Amino acid sequence: MESIYTASATSIGGRSGSIKSTDGVINLELRPPKEMGGPGGNYTNPEQLFAAGYAACFAGAYTHVALSKDIRVRPEVTAHVTINKVSDGFKLSVVMDIRVKGISQKEAEELAEGAHAFCPYSRATKGNIDVKLHVTATEK
């Protein structure tokens, strides 16, 4: 395996603290959401950050797979990351809403499966997180 990039971020205080990337681009206060006993308000949480990263990575993978088949699309991907209570703690699940224009539903679904196999986030979570792909295509 050849390393090409490493992202680093430091958390102080966990879910009720802060997160900062080493380059300072990310510098955010974290709080649990109201649903988990937090204060709500203008704070982020680890699930939102994971959703943002996964959505961006999956959209990039989708575009890459499409281009490898000479298909030019600009997918809109929304990752819904849910934290679930299980008997021994918590577990994440993800629903990916993938919307794409200009191709058939069948093509869109095939590209989504290809993106899921290619995406580094999907590969990292394979077998650990339930991920469902919901694909909506419009030919116009």
Side-chain angles (χ1 to χ4, degrees):
M1 180 166 50
E2 176 187 349
S3 298
I4 56 174
Y5 172 72
T6 299
S8 301
T10 301
S11 170
I12 299 173
R15 289 183 172 275
S16 294
S18 63
I19 191 81
K20 185 176 182 180
S21 60
T22 53
D23 62 5
V25 171
I26 297 172
N27 189 3
L28 301 167
E29 292 293 316
L30 302 175
R31 299 294 182 274
K34 276 190 170 188
E35 297 84 351
M36 294 178 65
N42 290 328
Y43 301 102
T44 193
N45 58 66
E47 292 71 36
Q48 286 180 332
L49 295 169
F50 184 75
Y54 200 169
C57 189
F58 196 95
Y62 194 101
T63 301
H64 173 81
V65 170
L67 285 173
S68 74
K69 299 175 184 291
D70 286 329
I71 300 170
R72 297 198 187 297
V73 292
R74 187 173 172 95
E76 179 182 309
V77 178
T78 302
H80 303 276
V81 174
T82 301
I83 189 163
N84 305 283
K85 188 158 179 45
V86 294
S87 62
D88 61 345
F90 299 93
K91 184 173 178 156
L92 297 178
S93 61
V94 177
V95 174
M96 295 296 243
D97 280 330
I98 304 137
R99 288 169 294 289
V100 62
K101 295 178 182 175
I103 59 176
S104 72
Q105 182 69 27
K106 183 180 179 195
E107 286 176 304
E109 289 171 359
E110 289 172 357
L111 291 174
E113 289 297 330
H116 195 40
F118 183 77
C119 175
Y121 275 63
S122 292
R123 295 175 113 182
T125 61
K126 187 176 183 178
N128 296 311
I129 294 178
D130 295 328
V131 178
K132 293 182 180 158
L133 306 179
H134 291 170
V135 182
T136 305
T138 55
E139 293 193 40
K140 292 183 181 187

